[in-house]
Amino acid sequence: MTAFLIGNFVLNGITGILLYLLVRKKKKIFADRYGMVVSMCGSGVLSLHLAMLFVFLIPDYLIIQVLFALGIGVFIGKKFGSLVRYQSLLSGIFHGIIGGIMGLMLGTVILNPSLCGLPSASLNMLHENILIFTLFGTLLVIMTSSLLYYSLRV
């Protein structure tokens, strides 16, 4: 399971890097509004999923998880937001932090459902839930990246 999660983390990281490089190469052709959309969508979805995967990889260290979620959210938001102007930078950082914190909370609830008053899951159900949410998050990151790339061509 750990190898699957590490591979998924690397796949999503590479997807985010490729999306950033493609958008940065064509940043001259889009306006401020499109820059805001790219910074909100790219940073929010990518930081959400990477933070959730990090919680699955290192489940016992809360301080490291929080610092990673905040750090990855700020980094991704700064990168995507710095493509156009300062208002998109602010929007990218904000949505990156919110996505990272939401990924942290979602991963924590998946690992321990009793935090929300849900019935505790067995170990088999826990691995199944991790697998389902990881695959769904990867699909979400790939679909968001594809839609943002497609919107550059239209």
Side-chain angles (χ1 to χ4, degrees), residues 27-94:
K27 74 178 181 178
K28 302 269 190 228
I29 66 171
F30 54 82
D32 296 341
R33 185 176 292 175
Y34 183 74
M36 290 282 284
V37 169
V38 168
S39 69
M40 286 189 290
C41 292
S43 63
V45 169
L46 195 61
S47 63
L48 181 136
H49 191 60
L50 289 177
M52 184 180 71
L53 284 173
F54 192 75
V55 170
F56 294 155
L57 286 171
I58 304 178
D60 295 331
Y61 300 101
L62 182 64
I63 297 298
I64 295 173
Q65 291 172 352
V66 170
L67 291 176
F68 180 80
L70 290 174
I72 200 73
V74 168
F75 179 75
I76 292 172
K78 182 178 176 277
K79 282 299 188 185
F80 278 103
S82 66
L83 292 172
V84 183
R85 294 187 188 256
Y86 288 116
Q87 66 265 25
S88 64
L89 177 68
L90 179 65
S91 175
I93 290 174
F94 176 76

Side-chain angles (χ1 to χ4, degrees), residues 3 13 25 37 48 75 90 98 123 125 128 153:
K25 187 167 59 171
V37 169
L48 181 136
F75 179 75
L90 179 65
I98 294 298
L123 189 59
M125 188 106 175
E128 183 179 314
R153 301 176 67 196

Side-chain angles (χ1 to χ4, degrees), residues 1-9 53 57 130-131 134-135 138:
M1 181 64 98
T2 305
F4 171 74
L5 291 173
I6 291 172
N8 206 324
F9 190 85
L53 284 173
L57 286 171
I130 289 173
L131 182 69
T134 301
L135 291 176
T138 301

